């Protein structure tokens, strides 16, 4: 099955001379542009090579490039099952996703990664035509030999298998339906103004479903432009990326919209504080983009501060099992601290234990592999998300954290770590925070710091911030610091930026706790803290 609205947007006569993809340099200037008719011609050229039955699984290993766009639109409109593989994956993870695929589509970066993984041998690999921009010509696309046909491996309605974490570290696939994507896109178009997709800046890898939806499908539907960063840029969440760089990218690219990870919201909040009363003018030259946030809780205080500075950030919530978005704050009804009301095609309710349940037309078609991390759909069609939440009288959702991550301290207090972590990210010098405390007398915070930060000074800063911003039961009593490096991110965080809590606890937290002295008594709010409990 094709996603009709995306196909319609790509082929609309009034879209053909508009720019669909713009590749920028490091100052935001256009290096290459591809009109709708150029991308359409490249798509048709690639489609002619793919003599594959609908439902055939095809791997996509590529960077955020025009080639990725060409391949994605080809697979989507041909009814083939796209299996995107993050370039940041390990060889084992990539092999797991690509197992059973008939073909692997790549760009230059993808070819290099396949070789590095050792997965290029004995596998059908096809280079995606990309052209040079503005002419529809392709290059580097092989000898023109069609890929032989094979029987369908999945029901034609399944158009994607999106990676999600499993219990063993090997990812499993969420099977996304074409009809589900269609329902989601139609629903989003009812609540988000079309004009915001005039120049959408992509900041995170396309292997994330939310980025496919907001960076590509929504702009295509509305005749907008997808703006890509230079090829050598470390995308947010990948090794070497810096959240604070995104502030300049948003300004220089003249973006009209972007989805921001929570770390970028924190960086934007800190930049706005430095700019003072003229933050919107200083940071965006007065042209503030439509900024959306998701992926993890964002500090409501940071959102309030940004809003007061004229920089609205709209927080939302979604998961791949719902084809991404479930709810979003909207223009005219932005309520920081909540993730907004459900989209028109979604229903939500609160189940046992405060669990958020979702029922919609965009629910997935199951997993490629079932394991204990799977989110079940019950007989009445409700997806059990595993997230704790509340609903207010207007139907707005407030997330409280993951059921499985709930901390029960040695004093029997229940703490949602995500709630605390979101607030600690607003602290100056903190790039990331992870909270621990299961069975411990007091909470412990592991914070990732800017390079060269003084660990003792930062520890005092974090404890003071926690005393001001958090209830006594949610405050960490110890702060362990670690300098944020690409190597640490690769080892201890998933490709979507989620912490590997067990590994962090065993390898960083436990040694630090073992080498420190007894915990100090809890001080009054704002009181100075003493002791040497930091880790560099």
């Amino acid at each position: 099955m094709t996603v009709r609205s995306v196909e319609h947007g790509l082929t609309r006569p009034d879209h053909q001379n508009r720019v669909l993809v713009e590749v920028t340099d490091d100052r935001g200037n256009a290096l290459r542009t591809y009109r709708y008719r150029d991308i359409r011609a490249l798509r048709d050229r690639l489609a002619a090579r793919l003599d594959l039955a609908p439902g055939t699984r095809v791997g996509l290993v590529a960077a955020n490039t025009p080639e990725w766009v060409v391949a994605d639109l080809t697979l989507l409109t041909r009814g083939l099952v796209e299996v995107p593989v993050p370039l940041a994956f390990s060889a084992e993870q990539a092999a797991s996703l690509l197992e059973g695929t008939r073909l692997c589509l790549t760009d230059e970066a993808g070819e290099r990664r396949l070789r590095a993984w050792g997965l290029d041998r004995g596998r059908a690999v096809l280079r995606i035509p990309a052209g040079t921009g503005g002419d529809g010509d392709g290059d580097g696309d092989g000898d023109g030999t069609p890929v032989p046909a094979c029987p369908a491996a999945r029901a034609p309605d399944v158009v994607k298998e999106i990676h999600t974490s499993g219990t063993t570290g090997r990812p499993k696939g969420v099977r996304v339906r074409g009809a589900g994507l269609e329902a989601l896109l139609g629903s989003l178009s009812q609540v988000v103004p079309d004009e915001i997709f005039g120049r959408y800046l992509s900041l995170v890898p396309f292997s994330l479903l939310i980025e496919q939806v907001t960076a590509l499908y929504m702009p295509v539907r509305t005749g907008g432009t997808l703006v890509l960063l230079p090829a050598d840029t470390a995308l947010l969440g990948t090794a070497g990326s810096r959240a604070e760089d995104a502030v300049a990218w948003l300004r220089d690219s003249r973006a009209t919209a972007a989805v921001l990870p929570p770390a970028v919201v924190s960086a934007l909040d800190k930049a706005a504080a430095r700019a003072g009363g003229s933050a919107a003018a200083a940071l965006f030259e007065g042209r503030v983009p439509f900024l959306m946030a998701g992926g993890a809780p964002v500090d409501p205080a940071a959102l309030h501060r940004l809003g007061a500075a004229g920089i609205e950030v709209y927080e939302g919530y979604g998961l791949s099992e719902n084809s991404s978005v479930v709810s979003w704050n909207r223009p005219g009804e932005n309520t920081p601290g909540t993730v907004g009301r459900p989209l028109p095609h979604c229903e939500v309710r609160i189940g046992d234990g405060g669990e958020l349940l979702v029922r919609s037309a965009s629910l997935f078609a199951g997993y490629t592999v079932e394991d204990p991390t799977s989110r079940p759909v019950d007989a009445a069609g409700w997806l059990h998300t595993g997230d704790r939440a509340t609903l207010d009288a207007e139907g707005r959702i407030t997330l409280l954290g993951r059921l499985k991550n709930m901390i029960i301290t040695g004093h029997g207090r229940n703490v949602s770590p995500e709630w605390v972590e979101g607030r600690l990210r607003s602290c100056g010098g903190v790039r990331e925070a992870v909270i621990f405390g299961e069975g411990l007398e007091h909470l412990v915070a592991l914070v990732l710091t800017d390079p060269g930060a003084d660990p003792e000074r930062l520890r005092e800063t974090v404890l003071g911030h926690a005393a001001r911003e958090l209830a006594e039961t949610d405050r960490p009593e110890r702060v362990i610091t670690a300098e944020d490096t690409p190597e640490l991110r690769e080892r201890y965080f998933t490709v979507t930026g989620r912490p590997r809590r067990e590994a962090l606890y065993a390898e960083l937290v436990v040694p630090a706790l073992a080498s420190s002295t007894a915990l100090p008594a809890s001080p009054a709010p704002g009181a100075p803290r003493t002791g040497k409990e930091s880790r560099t």
Side-chain angles (χ1 to χ4, degrees), residues 244-259:
E244 51 266 35
D245 291 339
V247 179
W249 296 338
L250 287 164
R251 180 193 64 236
D252 294 345
S253 66
R254 306 176 307 285
T256 60
V259 170

Side-chain angles (χ1 to χ4, degrees), residues 40 48 137 145 152 188 195 226 252 315 317 369 374 409 510:
R40 181 181 175 186
D137 293 331
T145 304
L188 279 173
E195 58 268 20
L226 162 60
D252 294 345
E315 189 175 8
Y317 165 75
V369 177
S374 297
T409 69
V510 169

Side-chain angles (χ1 to χ4, degrees), residues 109-200:
E111 282 188 348
R112 289 197 305 268
R113 201 70 183 114
L114 276 179
R115 287 195 297 270
W117 287 329
L119 298 176
D120 55 325
R121 296 179 294 275
R123 183 182 304 277
V125 178
L126 184 63
R127 182 76 171 268
I128 307 159
T132 56
D135 56 13
D137 293 331
D139 56 15
D141 62 337
D143 60 6
T145 304
V147 176
C150 69
R154 291 289 189 274
D157 187 42
V158 174
V159 294
K160 293 179 185 288
E161 290 178 3
I162 300 295
H163 70 275
T164 189
S165 301
T167 54
T168 65
R170 288 168 58 91
K172 62 179 184 288
V174 176
R175 300 175 62 215
V176 176
R177 300 178 301 110
L181 272 179
E182 190 72 78
L184 173 74
L185 295 171
S187 199
L188 279 173
S189 67
Q190 295 180 49
V191 301
V192 181
D194 287 351
E195 58 268 20
I196 74 165
F197 296 103
R199 288 181 62 81
Y200 182 100

Side-chain angles (χ1 to χ4, degrees), residues 83-99 113 117 119 163-166 168-172 490-491 493-496 500:
V83 184
V85 181
L87 299 185
F89 264 11
S90 67
E92 179 186 14
Q93 291 172 320
S96 175
L97 281 183
L98 289 173
E99 185 176 352
R113 201 70 183 114
W117 287 329
L119 298 176
H163 70 275
T164 189
S165 301
T168 65
R170 288 168 58 91
K172 62 179 184 288
E490 183 174 4
R491 180 173 179 82
F493 288 80
T494 69
V495 70
T496 57
R500 303 185 191 277

Side-chain angles (χ1 to χ4, degrees), residues 33 63 70 85 293 338 399 401 412 433 523:
T33 59
V70 170
V85 181
T338 80
L399 295 176

Side-chain angles (χ1 to χ4, degrees), residues 1 41 92 131 135 156 175 195 211-212 235 269 279 295 300 332 367 394 446 458-459 462 526:
M1 163 170 182
E92 179 186 14
D135 56 13
R175 300 175 62 215
E195 58 268 20
E211 195 67 2
Q212 296 167 33
L235 296 172
D269 177 40
Y367 299 101
E394 286 72 40
L446 172 66
L458 184 60
R459 171 184 167 274
V462 172

Side-chain angles (χ1 to χ4, degrees), residues 384-403:
H384 292 243
T385 67
D387 293 311
R388 295 189 309 114
T390 61
L391 292 175
D392 67 16
E394 286 72 40
R396 290 184 290 258
I397 303 168
T398 298
L399 295 176
L400 303 177
R402 293 284 296 156
L403 286 172

Side-chain angles (χ1 to χ4, degrees), residues 217-297:
Y217 305 147
M218 291 302 291
V220 165
R221 284 169 59 100
T222 59
T225 298
L226 162 60
V227 181
L228 300 179
L229 296 169
D232 58 352
T233 302
L235 296 172
L236 297 176
T238 66
S241 66
R242 293 168 13 106
E244 51 266 35
D245 291 339
V247 179
W249 296 338
L250 287 164
R251 180 193 64 236
D252 294 345
S253 66
R254 306 176 307 285
T256 60
V259 170
L260 309 182
V264 176
V265 179
S266 297
L268 185 59
D269 177 40
K270 295 166 188 174
R274 291 192 297 270
S278 57
L283 298 181
F284 299 110
E285 299 176 352
R287 300 188 300 268
V288 180
F290 189 91
L291 301 174
M292 301 160 274

